[in-house]
């Protein structure tokens, strides 16, 4: 399965997280492309704390939505974690940390306006996974605009 373009007028943001247990942190990665499939931006960031994959991926969605809020573009947020996707798109609620993160994601999506959530297999989310894993070698948040880094080109 490969990445598919969004419909005209929309952008697609693939999001993923990578957990680095030995470092007690996780990295988030997202890649933004337009309806022509052209690269618009990518972002990686590291967050301290011990999180499971589900929570790390939900936090990555929240951080990405906060970043996308500035753009105010119709956006498909695509992920490869079925549990997070189902929680975002179904009537999930919970008093635990995961439930609160999901609620924050929904609130951010409402603020942005036109946001759709989409689930894909990991192979179609490879670029975001690559960016998330790259965070382990960087000390802070990083954004690439208009032109991807050379190490990301093969993943697009």
């Amino acid at each position: 399965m490969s990445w598919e373009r969004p419909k005209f007028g929309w952008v697609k943001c693939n999001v993923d997280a990578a957990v680095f247990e030995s470092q007690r942190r996780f990295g988030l990665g997202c890649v933004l492309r337009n309806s022509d499939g052209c690269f618009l931006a990518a972002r990686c960031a590291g967050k301290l704390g011990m999180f499971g994959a589900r929570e790390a991926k939900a936090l990555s969605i929240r951080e990405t939505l906060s970043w996308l809020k500035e753009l105010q573009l119709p956006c498909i947020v695509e992920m490869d974690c079925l549990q997070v996707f189902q929680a975002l798109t179904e009537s999930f609620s919970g008093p635990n940390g995961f439930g609160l993160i999901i609620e924050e994601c929904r609130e951010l999506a409402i603020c942005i306006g036109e946001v759709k959530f989409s689930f894909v297999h990991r192979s179609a989310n490879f670029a975001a996974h690559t960016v998330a894993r790259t965070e382990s070698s960087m000390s802070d948040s990083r954004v690439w605009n208009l032109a991807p880094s050379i190490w990301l080109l093969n993943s697009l």
Side-chain angles (χ1 to χ4, degrees):
M1 181 167 238
S2 60
W3 185 86
E4 294 181 13
R5 297 176 183 185
K7 66 182 182 179
F8 180 78
W10 285 69
V11 295
K12 184 180 280 186
C13 189
N14 289 81
V15 183
D16 205 1
V19 177
F20 307 107
E21 289 181 15
S22 63
Q23 299 172 14
R24 302 184 63 80
R25 63 193 198 113
F26 73 95
L28 70 92
C30 59
V31 178
L32 188 65
R33 291 179 265 195
N34 67 16
S35 56
D36 292 326
C38 296
F39 176 89
L40 297 175
R43 177 176 182 247
C44 72
K47 300 291 178 186
L48 292 175
M50 287 296 295
F51 296 96
R54 180 184 76 161
E55 287 75 15
K57 289 176 186 253
L59 286 165
S60 295
I61 298 290
R62 186 189 71 191
E63 293 295 317
T64 297
L65 287 168
S66 293
W67 180 58
L68 292 172
K69 190 176 173 183
E70 300 169 16
L71 301 178
Q72 293 295 313
L73 293 170
C75 186
I76 298 168
V77 177
E78 200 162 66
M79 65 205 77
D80 61 14
C81 182
L82 186 58
Q83 287 180 307
V84 174
F85 171 74
Q86 288 174 332
L88 287 166
T89 58
E90 297 173 5
S91 59
F92 174 86
S93 66
N96 61 12
F98 179 70
L100 295 173
I101 297 165
I102 294 300
E103 285 180 30
E104 289 176 355
C105 289
R106 288 183 187 142
E107 289 170 8
L108 282 164
I110 289 168
C111 288
I112 294 169
E114 292 187 89
V115 173
K116 295 180 182 179
F117 297 107
S118 174
F119 170 76
V120 291
H121 292 281
R122 189 173 192 169
S123 59
N125 206 36
F126 186 68
H129 181 73
T130 300
V131 175
R133 298 240 8 113
T134 299
E135 198 289 320
S136 71
S137 63
M138 296 184 181
S139 59
D140 56 3
S141 179
R142 184 127 188 229
V143 176
W144 296 267
N145 289 309
L146 302 176
S149 185
I150 291 173
W151 53 263
L152 181 56
L153 284 174
N154 291 336
S155 300
L156 294 174

